[in-house]
Amino acid sequence: MKLRNTVAAALGAFALVLALPGSALSATGDFTYKYVTGLGHEERVTLHDPHSGKCINLYAVGDDDAPAGYGPHNQTDTPVTVYRGSSCTGDQWRLRAHGNPATDQLEVRSVRFDAPNS
């Protein structure tokens, strides 16, 4: 009987943890940037609720050998640092939370979102 109660309590605690919002490790909202494909077409990429606190090399532009992305727009609830180089290296700029789109002259290859406030 004690084992059954212990298992039931453990499962209840696990379910409670799963019910908590997952935003503790993610910014909430969208981050977008543009890039030009090998065929010359402009594409827009959106990161929805991106992971916070770690460097993210951006899709299609995160390699220093590829043309950089540009025009980042941070519509998340946390500030972000954008980097001209891959692996969060090189020139960097801060974009505020819920900010306006940056100019297309701002090149980006990688980003790091601040950890959300608890």
Side-chain angles (χ1 to χ4, degrees), residues 86-110:
S86 63
S87 302
C88 295
T89 60
D91 294 337
Q92 58 184 283
W93 293 267
R94 295 278 293 162
L95 301 179
R96 67 180 177 203
H98 303 293
N100 293 323
T103 175
D104 283 352
Q105 280 68 47
L106 180 55
E107 294 182 342
V108 60
R109 293 184 189 282
S110 56

Side-chain angles (χ1 to χ4, degrees), residues 6-90:
T6 302
V7 170
L11 288 175
F14 183 68
L16 182 60
V17 168
L18 289 179
L20 294 174
S23 64
L25 297 176
S26 298
T28 301
D30 293 335
F31 174 85
T32 59
Y33 64 96
K34 299 177 270 189
Y35 74 98
V36 176
T37 69
L39 298 175
H41 301 289
E42 183 178 81
E43 296 288 334
R44 181 179 305 269
V45 177
T46 299
L47 303 178
H48 181 69
D49 294 344
H51 189 73
S52 296
K54 72 171 192 170
C55 183
I56 301 170
N57 284 329
L58 298 173
Y59 171 77
V61 299
D63 183 335
D64 288 328
D65 293 330
Y70 56 92
H73 186 189
N74 184 23
Q75 298 168 299
T76 70
D77 62 348
T78 61
V80 62
T81 303
V82 298
Y83 297 85
R84 183 174 281 166
S86 63
S87 302
C88 295
T89 60

